[in-house]
Amino acid sequence: MSDPSFMTLQQHIIQRQRCAEEATGEFSFLLSGITIASKILADQVRRVGLLDILGTTGEVNVQGEQVQKLDDIANDMLMQCIGYRRCVHAMASEEVADPVELETGDAGRYIVLFDPLDGSSNIDVNIPVGTIFSILKKPEPNGKECSVEENVLQKGCEQVGAGYVLYGSATVLVYTTGDGVHQFVLDPSIGAFILVKEQLTIPEKKAIYSCNEANAHSFDEGVQNYLNWVKTSEAGPYSARYVGSFVADFHRTLLKGGVFLYPATAKAPEGKLRLMYEANPMAFLVEQAGGKASTGDTRILDVEPTKLHQRVPLVIGSKKEVEIVEDFMARRRSAVSA
Ligand code: P6P
C-alpha cells in the first residue's frame, strides 16, 4: 500500500466502538468472523471453473431452490467463522430451515442472520454474487422463556448492524452499525478490507429503475402504471438496469441512485426476496444512507416477522424514486376502493 494513512475495517470498527458506550470489542470480533469467511469466499468465487465448485449439489434447499455447490461452501464457511464467536447466541441462514442456537449462555448477546451467497445461480456465468448479513441483539430476558425462533424474529428496526459483501470485479464490503454507511474494498495483496468511503449517501433522485419486467403482467396494477409512466418522455429519460443478482443491483442503486423493485408476482405472491436476511439489512443500509425501503406501502423495517424465511415485496432506493412508485400504488388502491 502506498498510502500509510489507510484504514482497515477492523480499525474502523474499533475506532467507532471507542465512541460507543458499549465498546466491548465483541462487535468487532463478531464482524471479523464475517470478514474472514468473506475473504475465503472471495478467493473461491474468483476461481470458479478452476475448482470443482461449479454447478449444483443435486439437493434442494428450504426455499425449494437448487443448491449450488458454492451455496453449501459459503454457508459452512459463515457458520464456522461466526460460530466460534462466544458473543453469538444464534445464527440463521437462508440455506438452513431453522435458527442454530449456540451453547454460549449469557455470553451470547448477538444473533447473526445471513444469506451466504445471494444470486448464486449466476456464478456459472461470472455475474457478481454477494453475502448479506443482519445483526440483532439477543432480547433481554423478560421472565418468559423464549425459544430461539422467538429471539430471532425481530423487526428490522431492531438491527444493530447490517451489511453485504459483493464478489465482483473487486470484493466490496459495505456495512452500517446505525452511524452511517461505510464502504471497503478488499486489497488481496494484504488480505485486508480498506476503507474507501465513509458516511456514504444515496442520491435523493436518479432516473434508473431496476426490475424484472418479464413478471410485469402479474404485478400490482399500480406498479404496472409506474412501469408504463417511467418509459414516457414526461418521466424520463429513465434507464433500465437489472443484473438479476440482488447485491449487485442494490450496490449500484446505493452508489448511483435509482429504485430497485421486486413486487409480488403470480409466482411469488409474497414477493421473492426474504425479509429477515435480505430486505431488512438492505433497508437498514439504505435508510442510513438517506434512502427509503418499503413493501410499496409499509416501511420494511416496521414489518413484523412471523416466519424466518418469509418473503416480502420490496421497493428500495433513492427516497424520491421510491415515493414515486409508492404514489402510483396508492393511487391505484384508492381508485379500486372508490
Ligand atoms: P428473478 C437471485 O436468485 C435472487 O434471489 C436475487 O439475488 C435477485 O434479485 C432475484 O433473485 C432475481 O429474481 O426472478 O428476476 O430471476
Side-chain angles (χ1 to χ4, degrees), residues 182 196 246 270 274:
H182 316 292
V196 294
F246 182 38
E270 301 298 319
R274 290 78 170 186

Side-chain angles (χ1 to χ4, degrees), residues 65 94 115 118-122 212 215 242 244-247 249 260 262 267 272-274 278:
E65 294 165 343
E94 186 222 19
D115 181 355
D118 180 78
S120 56
S121 53
N122 295 303
N212 182 344
N215 302 317
Y242 193 71
S245 184
F246 182 38
V247 179
D249 280 317
F260 172 91
Y262 207 108
K267 189 178 161 205
K272 179 175 185 183
L273 298 173
R274 290 78 170 186
E278 289 177 330

